[in-house]
Amino acid sequence: MPLDVLEAHRDWIIADQRDLELQDFITADVLNGDWMPLVHRARTLLDGYAGRLGIHGPFWGLSLANPDPDLRALVTRRMEQGLEICEAVGATQMVIHSPYSTWMHHNLDGLPNARQNVVDLVHATLDPIISRAEGANVTMVLENIEDKDPDARCDLARSFDSSAVKVSIDTGHAHYAHGSTGAPPVDYFVHRAGDLLEHIHIQDADGYADRHWAVGKGTVNWHAIFTAIAKLESEPRLIMEIRDKAGILPSAEYLSSLQLAR
């Protein structure tokens, strides 16, 4: 959530030291300007917070697998700026976006070395900052965007052999891919990621678009997803990422139906 929303939900977040992801540091305007006032505001709002804190890293117009070396250098710089903010605010996780698209899924195996080229390009982007992330105890988690294949992003994360690169799942993105591009259902993404999975964006959707609805408003199979999550040892951070922040919580009746109510 952005800081304005955190201010409204601060007591709820701190009461149970809930997982939190700040989303104020994603645009070029912020990154190229003086973002320290935002950091100071965050640290003030989080006085008394001891939970697991992360940020959403920069992503607008940025591909980790950009083939143009000049543009790739900019992407590396943006990722480094994200790490700088993590260090300043005390975050230990940064969400970054998967490079895989629907087009890639249908073409990677039809072009010579294309699958390895994606991996090599992402390494060229992230390798310069891996040691900094490790030193700062920050894990960059690769979030599925258009990913149709649950495994490609996981294989990419494994290729770094680093504690600084793990996997994220956005339930709404996975449900979109399932409904619109023929990807497996969302719980399969969880099973395939296994203990590489350290972060989940919780949002409901209809399988057609990236809705960011509250849990219970769409057609995501939450029973299957939370059954899959319960088998993990990695204890992924669970972040509700919905558009209507006023109605951030699903109804008690719906939570009870999932046997998730306290």
Side-chain angles (χ1 to χ4, degrees), residues 83-148:
L83 291 178
E84 291 173 3
I85 290 164
C86 286
E87 292 168 342
V89 81
T92 56
Q93 199 173 74
M94 181 169 76
V95 180
I96 60 178
H97 279 190
S98 168
Y100 293 102
S101 67
T102 307
W103 183 92
M104 280 188 182
H105 178 83
H106 291 281
N107 287 277
L108 282 179
D109 293 322
L111 299 170
N113 303 315
R115 192 172 291 275
Q116 185 60 44
N117 285 343
V118 174
V119 174
D120 291 344
L121 287 170
V122 176
H123 272 268
T125 302
L126 294 182
D127 281 350
I129 61 170
I130 290 294
S131 61
R132 179 169 188 168
E134 291 172 342
N137 193 33
V138 175
T139 302
M140 296 179 286
V141 286
L142 283 162
E143 176 187 3
N144 58 306
I145 305 302
E146 294 183 46
D147 301 61
K148 184 173 178 178

Side-chain angles (χ1 to χ4, degrees), residues 4-255:
D4 287 345
V5 178
L6 172 61
E7 190 162 6
H9 293 284
R10 179 183 180 278
D11 292 344
W12 177 72
I13 291 289
I14 292 181
D16 288 316
Q17 303 295 340
R18 301 177 187 276
D19 296 338
L20 177 63
E21 177 188 315
L22 300 178
Q23 299 195 327
D24 297 82
F25 305 99
I26 59 177
T27 65
D29 286 348
V30 169
L31 296 171
N32 289 338
D34 180 8
W35 40 260
M36 281 306 298
L38 289 173
V39 168
H40 292 318
R41 183 184 178 199
R43 294 182 74 92
T44 299
L45 287 171
L46 292 173
D47 183 36
Y49 178 71
R52 300 189 294 183
L53 177 64
I55 71 165
H56 199 305
F59 66 91
W60 290 115
L62 306 175
S63 171
L64 295 177
N66 199 308
D68 185 312
D70 294 335
L71 295 177
R72 195 166 58 247
L74 173 61
V75 181
T76 300
R77 175 59 185 149
R78 291 288 186 243
M79 297 300 108
E80 186 173 37
Q81 288 173 313
L83 291 178
E84 291 173 3
I85 290 164
C86 286
E87 292 168 342
V89 81
T92 56
Q93 199 173 74
M94 181 169 76
V95 180
I96 60 178
H97 279 190
S98 168
Y100 293 102
S101 67
T102 307
W103 183 92
M104 280 188 182
H105 178 83
H106 291 281
N107 287 277
L108 282 179
D109 293 322
L111 299 170
N113 303 315
R115 192 172 291 275
Q116 185 60 44
N117 285 343
V118 174
V119 174
D120 291 344
L121 287 170
V122 176
H123 272 268
T125 302
L126 294 182
D127 281 350
I129 61 170
I130 290 294
S131 61
R132 179 169 188 168
E134 291 172 342
N137 193 33
V138 175
T139 302
M140 296 179 286
V141 286
L142 283 162
E143 176 187 3
N144 58 306
I145 305 302
E146 294 183 46
D147 301 61
K148 184 173 178 178
D149 176 5
D151 291 322
R153 189 177 81 271
C154 297
D155 291 340
L156 174 60
R158 289 189 191 97
S159 73
F160 285 89
D161 191 26
S162 170
S163 61
V165 184
K166 298 294 181 180
V167 167
S168 165
I169 290 173
D170 185 298
T171 57
H173 296 172
H175 193 50
Y176 150 75
H178 174 57
S180 296
T181 71
V186 184
D187 60 304
Y188 280 41
F189 278 74
V190 178
H191 287 301
R192 298 303 299 167
D195 285 328
L196 271 176
L197 182 59
E198 295 197 356
H199 173 277
I200 302 176
H201 277 154
I202 301 291
Q203 58 140 322
D204 216 333
D206 56 3
Y208 181 79
D210 188 19
R211 299 296 194 178
H212 288 272
W213 289 335
V215 169
K217 298 296 185 182
T219 56
V220 170
N221 188 335
W222 295 107
H223 296 274
I225 291 169
F226 280 103
T227 297
I229 292 172
K231 297 177 181 177
L232 302 177
E233 296 182 0
S234 58
E235 297 185 349
R237 303 182 191 191
L238 304 182
I239 305 291
M240 286 186 289
E241 189 185 49
I242 63 176
R243 292 198 175 107
D244 180 12
K245 301 299 192 297
I248 194 169
L249 296 176
S251 68
E253 292 79 7
Y254 190 78
L255 285 175

